[in-house]
Amino acid sequence: DTGVSQDPRHKITKRGQNVTFRCDPISEHNRLYWYRQTLGQGPEFLTYFQNEAQLEKSRLLSDRFSAERPKGSFSTLEIQRTEQGDSAMYLCASSGTGNNEKLFFGSGTQLSVL
Amino acid sequence: LAKTTQPISMDSYEGQEVNITCSHNNIATNDYITWYQQFPSQGPRFIIQGYKTKVTNEVASLFIPADRKSSTLSLPRVSLSDTAVYYCLVGDNGGGADGLTFGKGTHLIIQP
């Protein structure tokens, strides 16, 4: 068990640029989740996958945000035309498929939009 | 949607027992209660989960009264390293996002 891995750990970009983050879940986990966390707030749920199927995406913050998990393994989260308000920690988690499975989180990608 | 309410912050001292209570008045029959711990610049980490009565593991205990409208996370003999934010989640993450919603959590500060 190597844990959930996220890359990069830090990303600095200019407003209007596109950014993509990668998440590698624990290998035997079928579910993968994306969260956003701003300073002083709890993690905010964005979307999740079961294998390659995106089961919940209504909470993605805008149409500038999209996520993929094409082969049911790693996932990417893309933000297009970044805005300063997108600056936050983006967290990925994975879990098994049973009910009430606990989430295992990565260390996150800290995004700063200048 | 079973929303939760926790104290924003708590203070205690090393060696003390700390109890953090979470209110969840609208908890549904199928909902479980899960607590996570988060240190700065890290993702949350699972602490404990329960459905009713009492659950204990090597880290904490979780007390849930019969009506399940609240729960209490108990940390025995805390140390400085227990300073962190603690989140209470309620839901069934078997489907939908309700069980995956974090509130603002409780910032626990342990002093020497």
Side-chain angles (χ1 to χ4, degrees):
Chain A
D1 178 359
T2 59
V4 177
S5 176
Q6 292 190 245
D7 183 69
R9 286 298 311 276
H10 304 274
K11 178 70 176 178
I12 300 173
T13 191
K14 293 182 179 179
R15 188 175 51 191
Q17 297 295 303
N18 299 343
V19 294
T20 300
F21 311 138
R22 176 178 171 127
C23 173
D24 288 88
I26 294 171
S27 58
E28 61 266 30
H29 284 175
N30 293 330
R31 287 188 179 162
L32 186 148
Y33 313 79
W34 285 101
Y35 284 82
R36 182 180 82 159
Q37 187 171 26
T38 54
L39 196 61
Q41 303 295 315
E44 178 183 12
F45 172 77
L46 298 179
T47 188
Y48 87 103
F49 295 84
Q50 181 158 317
N51 299 313
E52 65 276 9
Q54 191 171 10
L55 298 185
E56 173 65 66
K57 56 182 179 181
S58 65
R59 302 197 185 190
L60 284 168
L61 300 166
S62 77
D63 58 6
R64 297 185 297 107
F65 287 73
S66 63
E68 293 183 342
R69 194 183 184 197
K71 297 182 180 179
S73 56
F74 73 91
S75 175
T76 58
L77 177 70
E78 181 181 19
I79 309 173
Q80 296 182 328
R81 305 181 302 282
T82 53
E83 302 172 357
Q84 287 185 325
D86 296 332
S87 296
M89 174 74 81
Y90 290 84
L91 292 162
C92 175
S94 69
S95 77
T97 51
N99 286 343
N100 308 301
E101 292 273 347
K102 59 186 178 183
L103 304 181
F104 291 81
F105 281 84
S107 295
T109 294
Q110 181 66 51
L111 173 66
S112 297
V113 182
L114 306 179
Chain B
L1 177 61
K3 294 182 179 178
T4 60
T5 303
Q6 303 174 233
I8 295 294
S9 65
M10 294 180 66
D11 295 329
S12 189
Y13 294 91
E14 283 190 294
Q16 299 296 303
E17 178 184 81
V18 171
N19 296 311
I20 306 174
T21 296
C22 179
S23 297
H24 27 81
N25 292 321
N26 297 321
I27 190 168
T29 302
N30 294 331
D31 288 341
Y32 277 69
I33 301 153
T34 310
W35 286 80
Y36 288 84
Q37 174 193 55
Q38 187 177 27
F39 298 113
S41 300
Q42 295 185 24
R45 182 174 72 109
F46 172 88
I47 303 175
I48 198 165
Q49 183 181 81
Y51 183 81
K52 63 180 179 181
T53 62
K54 177 183 175 182
V55 179
T56 297
N57 62 22
E58 64 278 5
V59 177
S61 294
L62 179 59
F63 298 92
I64 306 168
D67 66 5
R68 302 200 329 120
K69 293 184 182 298
S70 67
S71 58
T72 299
L73 174 72
S74 181
L75 304 172
R77 298 178 299 282
V78 294
S79 64
L80 296 176
S81 62
D82 291 315
T83 294
V85 180
Y86 292 82
Y87 298 97
C88 163
L89 276 70
V90 170
D92 171 4
N93 78 332
D98 290 353
L100 305 168
T101 299
F102 286 74
K104 293 187 177 181
T106 297
H107 189 190
L108 175 64
I109 299 172
I110 306 300
Q111 302 181 45

